[in-house]
Amino acid sequence: MTAQSAEDLPEEVQSWIGQERYTEQTTFPIEMGYVYTTLSATENGNPLYWDEKVAEELTGGPITLPTMVSAWFRPHHWSPGRTEPAVPLQLHFDLKDRLDLPEAVMSDNSIIFGKPIRPGDVLTTTQILYSVSPLKKTKLGTGRFWEFGVKITNQHGELCAEERYTGYGYNRS
Amino acid sequence: MTDVNELLLGDVKEGSQLPVLEKDVTPVTVVLGAMASRDWRPQHHDYKFAVNNNGVQDIFMNTPNLAAWFERYLTDWTGPKGRLGRIRFRMKDSVFPGDRMHFSGEVTGVESMGNGVGWLEVSISLTAGDKSCVGCEAKIAVPETPEGNPWSLEGEDWKP
């Protein structure tokens, strides 16, 4: 469920609510290297990813870990022509900037999984802002909660996942 | 199929407990997970930044890495046929190097889809010592019979 937004938001931020923004394609084809690094980071021995026979039998070949979905649309930290580091979830950083809330954490994350993501896929992502709360004080500081999401489709237009985040941008107390 | 662990829908009921998983967190646990998820933000690898800018005690686990730990916890239990439908988690406190992660879970729902596959709803808690760090609710499809395969479901048959 989407929360009611605050009424004291800058007009520009208010105009973002409900609008699809930053529709982008992944900057590199999906590959298994990051999958193995994730399996290693989490000591995950699931044979679906380690055993080609199991992958062939269950999923018709290799797939990536469903929960890795956000990794695929995070930009390279640097690329030619870029002078500032790129940031993932640009909408989140736009909110920090426009609301003058320099620090932020994610407090809530949900993902609905659709078509498995496979090596070689090219994904398209779209970000959407659902709500921004009034100012609230927490143990971290004073700031606002915002709810936004990312829709991920593959090169065939099939829905692979829908992510939803709650971020909290704040000024330290 | 290759001999692997395989949980069937009928093996569990509402209230069934998942086996506990524990893991000591080191800086490598945090940094490797952040890099694997292509998360270059400094609070996940730069101690001074985390302390001075985020006001926390140390670098801390990033959200996608925690999601991958929850997935590992679930599929350790279900075996490779376990297919995540949805997952939701709420961060209450951060996980830092020096913490011992303690994952525990309980089945909160069991539902047959009627096509050889069923849904399990699971509530998972990630704690570290006295800290309650993350609460997680997941919905995962498992076979109802040895022949069932949740990964074969597509389109209208896959409604997580």
Side-chain angles (χ1 to χ4, degrees), chain A residues 27-28 34 37-38 40-49 51 53-54 57-59 63 65-68 70-72 74-77 88 92-93 103-116 139-140 165 170 172, chain B residues 1-2 4 23 29 32-33 35-41 43 49 51-56 60 62-65 67-69 71-72 75-76 79-93 149 151-152 154 158 160:
Chain A
T27 54
F28 62 98
Y34 281 110
T37 310
T38 300
S40 169
T42 54
E43 301 173 15
N44 185 344
N46 189 340
L48 178 58
Y49 306 102
D51 186 328
K53 282 184 190 166
V54 175
E57 194 166 338
L58 293 186
T59 55
I63 63 166
L65 287 154
T67 54
M68 284 188 68
S70 69
W72 308 123
R74 288 175 186 274
H76 301 310
H77 187 62
H92 173 72
F93 289 88
E103 312 304 334
V105 292
M106 295 296 185
S107 64
D108 196 291
N109 181 208
S110 65
I111 318 172
I112 299 173
F113 302 101
K115 193 84 175 172
K139 67 179 182 180
L140 290 172
Y165 296 91
Y170 62 97
R172 291 179 65 184
Chain B
M1 194 176 82
T2 311
V4 292
K23 167 69 185 173
T29 319
L32 183 58
M35 296 301 106
S37 51
R38 297 175 50 81
D39 189 342
W40 328 117
R41 289 174 299 164
Q43 58 267 41
F49 184 96
V51 171
N52 296 332
N53 290 64
N54 293 90
V56 293
F60 54 95
N62 69 325
T63 302
N65 188 18
W69 273 98
E71 181 172 355
R72 177 251 160 117
T75 56
D76 272 5
K81 283 188 176 177
R83 179 180 178 186
L84 265 177
R86 61 171 66 209
I87 187 167
R88 177 176 188 222
F89 43 99
R90 177 174 289 274
M91 263 65 76
K92 302 171 192 166
D93 212 330
N149 178 13
W151 293 103
S152 68
E154 294 188 324
W158 179 249

Side-chain angles (χ1 to χ4, degrees), chain B residues 7 11-21 73-74 77 102-108 120-125:
Chain B
L7 183 79
D11 293 339
V12 295
K13 57 186 180 184
E14 209 171 305
S16 294
Q17 302 293 309
L18 278 66
V20 163
L21 170 69
Y73 180 55
L74 284 163
W77 173 58
H102 177 102
F103 293 84
S104 60
E106 181 177 316
V107 176
T108 56
L120 293 176
E121 291 186 44
V122 183
S123 178
I124 304 170
S125 175

Side-chain angles (χ1 to χ4, degrees), chain A residues 154-165:
Chain A
N154 65 16
Q155 65 275 23
H156 307 297
E158 297 163 318
L159 183 67
C160 296
E162 277 188 89
E163 277 208 278
R164 199 174 272 224
Y165 296 91

Side-chain angles (χ1 to χ4, degrees), chain B residues 109-159:
Chain B
V110 180
E111 181 193 359
S112 169
M113 288 191 230
N115 54 4
V117 174
W119 287 113
L120 293 176
E121 291 186 44
V122 183
S123 178
I124 304 170
S125 175
L126 167 56
T127 59
D130 295 335
K131 281 191 305 184
S132 175
C133 298
V134 188
C136 170
E137 284 83 46
K139 191 173 178 185
I140 188 165
V142 296
E144 198 164 2
T145 63
E147 296 74 32
N149 178 13
W151 293 103
S152 68
L153 302 182
E154 294 188 324
E156 286 299 301
D157 292 329
W158 179 249
K159 288 182 180 172

